[in-house]
Amino acid sequence: MRGSGLPGPRKLAFMTKFEQPPVLLTGMSGGGLSSASKVLEDKGYYVAHNLPPQIIVELLQLCAQEDSPVSKVAVVTDVRTRMFPGSLIETIDKLTELGMAPTVLFMDARDDVLIRRFDSVRRTHPLQESETLKHGIRREREVIAPVRARADIIIDTTNLSVHDLRRAIEASFGSMDAEKQHVTVESFGFKHGSPRDADLIVDVRFLPNPYWVPELRAYRGTDKPVSDYVLGQPSAGEFIDKFMEMFDSMVAGYRHEGKDFITVGVGCTGGHHRSVAVSEEITRRLNAAGKVKASVLHRDIARD
């Protein structure tokens, strides 16, 4: 997952009764919108589905009233709302003008994965018409590209299980601080593919691999024996010190470009040991510094 790649309008201070900014949940059909909406419901959000753009503004104004029973709200909207007047971009701009700037969460996946998901449930893509599923997905990407460019958080569900998706969303929405940027530090294994939605990827395969130490192989980077082994390497400490210095110089630039959500991918071979230990330490240091709110996600820690 990552913040938007293009600068958007600076969000106004959130002045309504909401505990957190409203969430606009959108993305590719088959990208995981239904699963994501269930996670938000479990986290106490009132979730509305497939509202026309102009109704989204009316709903959030209603929810923002003092006598409203809703304190956290999310709206799920996809390409099917294109038949109604207005656009989601216009809706985002209008909400921002009203002081209710939403957090835009965009769900995505590789085309071949989307095709497999549609085939498994025998569904027709909403833009497929009389052509192939592949053509429908390509049309949808073109239609929804402007919204993806404005997204605050993009979660690529290509390699995520339902449980991984829950952890990814909770990493971003677990304890949001409106005054700070949000950084997700995601460990992963290169053999499972690097995360396509990361803003920054670092490779820690230069560190000695605990996998080749028999007494450490069964442990993970969250376990003290492995963590001590990895972080005890002189090269690990030097690397993390330099990374923190580099990242600190980047944070102000990210904020200037309107990026309030940042994902840092930390990769090793399998995503079990080195990347996990380093991700935990980077997250600890970021939170200790206090400039951003950081959370950690271990994508491949349970994989073989």
Side-chain angles (χ1 to χ4, degrees):
M1 81 193 127
R2 65 175 179 84
S4 65
L6 297 177
R10 171 55 55 195
K11 295 182 179 179
L12 302 178
F14 199 72
M15 301 299 292
T16 71
K17 66 179 286 294
F18 295 134
E19 291 180 9
Q20 294 180 356
V23 176
L24 288 184
L25 174 57
T26 188
M28 294 294 294
S29 302
L33 273 70
S34 295
S35 297
S37 69
K38 291 176 183 176
V39 175
L40 292 173
E41 285 180 345
D42 290 344
K43 293 184 66 62
Y45 281 81
Y46 171 78
V47 181
H49 293 264
N50 293 326
L51 298 182
Q54 63 189 45
I55 303 300
I56 294 176
V57 176
E58 296 176 11
L59 171 67
L60 294 186
Q61 288 178 315
L62 179 64
C63 292
Q65 295 179 6
E66 286 299 325
D67 59 350
S68 168
V70 175
S71 59
K72 295 193 294 186
V73 60
V75 178
V76 184
T77 179
D78 60 27
V79 73
R80 289 174 292 179
T81 61
R82 73 193 186 285
M83 64 187 71
F84 294 97
S87 71
L88 195 54
I89 293 295
E90 293 171 346
T91 300
I92 294 169
D93 290 340
K94 179 64 175 179
L95 290 171
T96 302
E97 292 173 6
L98 294 173
M100 295 187 292
T103 298
V104 181
L105 173 58
F106 190 100
M107 311 301 294
D108 203 350
R110 285 200 321 261
D111 286 3
D112 62 302
V113 174
L114 295 176
I115 290 172
R116 187 166 66 247
R117 290 174 182 172
F118 270 96
D119 286 341
S120 68
V121 295
R122 301 183 183 279
R123 287 176 52 201
T124 301
H125 190 280
L127 298 186
Q128 184 172 340
E129 299 176 353
S130 61
E131 295 186 290
T132 66
L133 179 55
K134 185 176 181 180
H135 281 90
I137 292 172
R138 185 173 63 191
R139 286 197 189 98
E140 184 176 21
R141 287 208 182 277
E142 294 172 354
V143 170
I144 209 165
V147 178
R148 193 183 195 279
R150 286 284 296 273
D152 295 293
I153 305 171
I154 299 175
I155 298 182
D156 188 330
T157 64
T158 296
N159 296 311
L160 299 184
S161 68
V162 173
H163 302 296
D164 293 332
L165 174 58
R166 174 176 293 275
R167 285 189 286 268
I169 293 176
E170 289 177 345
S172 294
F173 293 91
S175 55
M176 293 178 64
D177 184 337
E179 299 302 318
K180 294 181 180 179
Q181 291 163 286
H182 306 275
V183 179
T184 299
V185 184
E186 179 180 2
S187 71
F188 68 93
F190 279 101
K191 75 175 187 178
H192 301 296
S194 58
R196 299 190 305 153
D197 45 11
D199 296 291
L200 176 67
I201 290 180
V202 295
D203 184 349
V204 297
R205 287 177 293 185
F206 66 90
L207 295 172
N209 192 348
Y211 180 85
W212 301 114
V213 181
E215 60 269 28
L216 296 179
R217 182 174 299 180
Y219 290 102
R220 294 296 185 260
T222 50
D223 297 317
K224 193 174 186 301
V226 171
S227 178
D228 288 348
Y229 177 86
V230 172
L231 300 179
Q233 304 295 325
S235 53
E238 182 181 359
F239 167 77
I240 295 174
D241 289 342
K242 290 182 177 179
F243 172 82
M244 296 300 297
E245 182 179 352
M246 178 193 71
F247 190 72
D248 185 62
S249 69
M250 298 170 67
V251 167
Y254 277 136
R255 181 174 286 280
H256 178 74
E257 294 300 311
K259 292 172 66 65
D260 290 328
F261 295 86
I262 306 160
T263 296
V264 178
V266 181
C268 63
T269 302
H272 295 162
H273 301 108
R274 293 167 291 180
S275 63
V276 172
V278 172
S279 293
E280 290 280 344
E281 177 62 12
I282 289 175
T283 302
R284 186 192 68 78
R285 292 198 192 187
L286 286 172
N287 284 324
K291 293 183 179 180
V292 300
K293 175 63 180 178
S295 56
V296 67
L297 172 68
H298 302 306
R299 192 190 75 179
D300 300 326
I301 193 170
R303 293 192 181 187
D304 293 333

